[in-house]
Amino acid sequence: MSKYFNPRLASLEAYTPGEQPRDRTYIKLNTNESPYPPSRGVRKALDRQRIDALRLYCDPNATLLKEELAKLYDKKPSEVFVSNGSDDILNFAFLAFGADGILFPDISYGFYEVFANLHGLSYEKVSLKKDFTIDVDDYCKQNKMVVIANPNAPTGLALPVKKIEKLLKANPGHVVLIDEAYVDFGGESCADLVEKYPNLLCVQTFSKSRSMAGARLGFAIGSQELIADLEKIKYSTNPYNVNALTQAAGVAAVQENGYYMRNCRRIIKSRNYTKKELEKLGFEVLPSKANFLFAKTDKVGGRELYLLLKEKGILVRHFQKERIKDFNRITIGSQKEMEAFIDAVKEILGESL
């Protein structure tokens, strides 16, 4: 750290992304990417003409992309915000709406705490229940911004929309941000509640269900007033934060939404297979509504299993936090990858194949 670094940020603990090793070929089940490629339309959208046009600035309003998303979710374009990944939107939202403090679960997406600290915002991490579920009563009438990942990460557990609505009713004076990064894998989106609750901000991403993690594209749905607030932050930092190629790919992906939803169903099927196989081996597996499983076994420690799998060329995500250190988060890959994962676990546990 240089002597010029802002002393207020000196103690900031940065977010740690999932590892991306290059030393060998791995089955990557650690960063919740899709095992399936983007649709044909996305590939066609990145044509020579569009590449030649990179000498020009992109549309800062992402007009076509907003229009397509608005049609898909039956909203007005003014109720849609797009940005450079959903992390970008979370960052803007914390800055815009977190002045009175923020509530979020103690076991959830690690970036929430980072963003709060980055902007010098007060926050409270609310403990999950013993079964890792969220008690919405803990977030009611607290006079603070509420941030809930639904389904939650890394547990994969989801709240029904009626529980989200309870939060919205109980916190009319503050924004309730629902991070729906994994909602397409079996959760319930609350996007339809936007017209009814002006304090709702629903955030999604193209990284998981739409096979575009490398493109960096996210979007939010909310009241025109909330979206205008986010636009003000965006235009005060980087108006061109979604590049032309990503915008074109995003438009094509939304137009071919059926392809991605079919892939989600394939992933759900592989998730169910993996859960059953792990349970046969004596694992405790939480009932996930995401594209990953959260699992542990008494037969081998969480970190030890993670390291042994890595030796066999399979990456999963391990967290050191005390309450979840025995668990590993396992991204659902293709069916073939999940069968290879199960075979590797059996070898590690000394089971016969």
Side-chain angles (χ1 to χ4, degrees):
M1 186 182 302
S2 78
K3 64 180 181 180
Y4 310 104
F5 194 64
N6 185 338
R8 187 183 72 77
L9 303 178
S11 61
L12 185 68
E13 291 189 23
Y15 175 74
T16 303
E19 59 186 318
Q20 304 278 0
R22 300 287 189 265
D23 58 318
R24 59 181 287 188
T25 299
Y26 288 93
I27 294 177
K28 284 189 81 276
L29 307 179
N30 66 322
T31 48
N32 299 340
E33 298 144 322
S34 173
Y36 303 110
S39 58
R40 291 181 181 178
V42 169
R43 300 180 193 185
K44 290 180 180 179
L46 307 182
D47 58 17
R48 175 65 182 273
Q49 181 180 1
R50 204 172 299 274
I51 292 172
D52 287 345
L54 287 178
R55 64 186 181 83
L56 304 173
Y57 282 108
C58 58
D59 174 10
N61 194 49
T63 304
L64 294 177
L65 180 54
K66 284 186 180 180
E67 289 175 351
E68 290 297 330
L69 284 165
K71 283 192 288 186
L72 180 63
Y73 289 93
D74 193 24
K75 298 290 179 283
K76 301 172 185 175
S78 58
E79 295 173 322
V80 178
F81 179 77
V82 300
S83 202
N84 186 253
S86 60
D87 289 338
D88 214 25
I89 301 172
L90 296 173
N91 185 24
F92 290 168
F94 272 58
L95 179 60
F97 309 122
D100 291 335
I102 307 166
L103 294 174
F104 50 83
D106 65 332
I107 297 173
S108 192
Y109 186 30
F111 237 140
Y112 300 154
E113 186 171 0
V114 175
F115 287 140
N117 285 323
L118 178 65
H119 297 303
L121 303 170
S122 64
Y123 63 91
E124 181 182 345
K125 295 188 287 184
V126 182
S127 296
L128 295 180
K129 294 166 67 176
K130 188 176 181 180
D131 61 358
F132 295 107
T133 58
I134 292 171
D135 186 344
V136 297
D137 289 337
D138 293 336
Y139 300 83
C140 292
K141 299 180 180 180
Q142 298 293 325
N143 297 315
K144 297 178 181 180
M145 179 183 178
V146 173
V147 179
I148 300 287
N150 193 44
N152 196 16
T155 66
L157 301 180
L159 291 169
V161 167
K162 64 180 180 180
K163 294 284 189 179
I164 301 299
E165 192 162 11
K166 182 177 182 179
L167 283 176
L168 293 163
K169 289 178 179 178
N171 298 285
H174 290 82
V175 167
V176 175
L177 187 156
I178 306 301
D179 184 353
E180 296 187 341
Y182 303 101
V183 75
D184 291 327
F185 301 101
E188 293 182 79
S189 177
C190 61
D192 288 343
L193 298 178
V194 162
E195 283 74 23
K196 189 175 179 182
Y197 298 99
N199 59 327
L200 170 62
L201 187 66
C202 178
V203 180
Q204 293 196 28
T205 177
F206 281 66
S207 295
K208 316 301 180 185
S209 60
R210 293 187 174 92
S211 304
M212 286 174 53
R216 308 311 303 132
L217 183 59
F219 65 97
I221 296 173
S223 69
Q224 295 183 43
E225 292 77 16
L226 286 189
I227 298 304
D229 293 339
L230 293 177
E231 295 285 3
K232 185 170 186 176
I233 300 294
K234 169 187 165 180
Y235 277 86
S236 300
T237 51
N238 181 10
Y240 302 103
N241 66 342
V242 180
N243 68 70
L245 296 181
T246 294
Q247 287 187 38
V251 168
V254 176
Q255 291 173 340
E256 296 182 321
N257 192 58
Y259 165 81
Y260 296 101
M261 295 306 102
R262 288 191 294 274
N263 284 344
C264 287
R265 291 191 289 272
R266 294 167 71 184
I267 290 169
I268 290 170
K269 184 176 180 180
S270 294
R271 182 185 71 202
N272 294 340
Y273 157 82
T274 307
K275 184 175 187 292
K276 289 178 181 177
E277 291 300 313
L278 286 174
E279 288 174 339
K280 289 178 185 177
L281 296 171
F283 278 74
E284 176 188 345
V285 188
L286 298 190
S288 174
K289 295 290 186 181
N291 67 334
F292 56 82
L293 292 171
F294 204 48
K296 72 171 184 176
T297 176
D298 294 334
K299 299 178 182 179
V300 60
R303 179 164 176 78
E304 183 183 2
L305 179 58
Y306 150 73
L307 291 171
L308 290 170
L309 285 167
K310 188 174 182 179
E311 288 179 9
K312 293 180 177 294
I314 299 175
L315 295 176
V316 297
R317 188 77 188 266
H318 181 72
F319 299 91
Q320 296 283 29
K321 190 173 290 188
E322 182 65 27
R323 190 175 172 190
I324 57 174
K325 65 181 182 180
D326 292 331
F327 284 82
N328 283 296
R329 192 193 68 192
I330 305 144
T331 300
I332 302 303
S334 67
Q335 182 63 24
K336 184 177 180 180
E337 288 174 327
M338 301 322 296
E339 290 171 0
F341 163 75
I342 292 296
D343 286 345
V345 171
K346 287 179 178 179
E347 289 179 2
I348 290 169
L349 298 182
E351 302 280 346
S352 59
L353 295 176

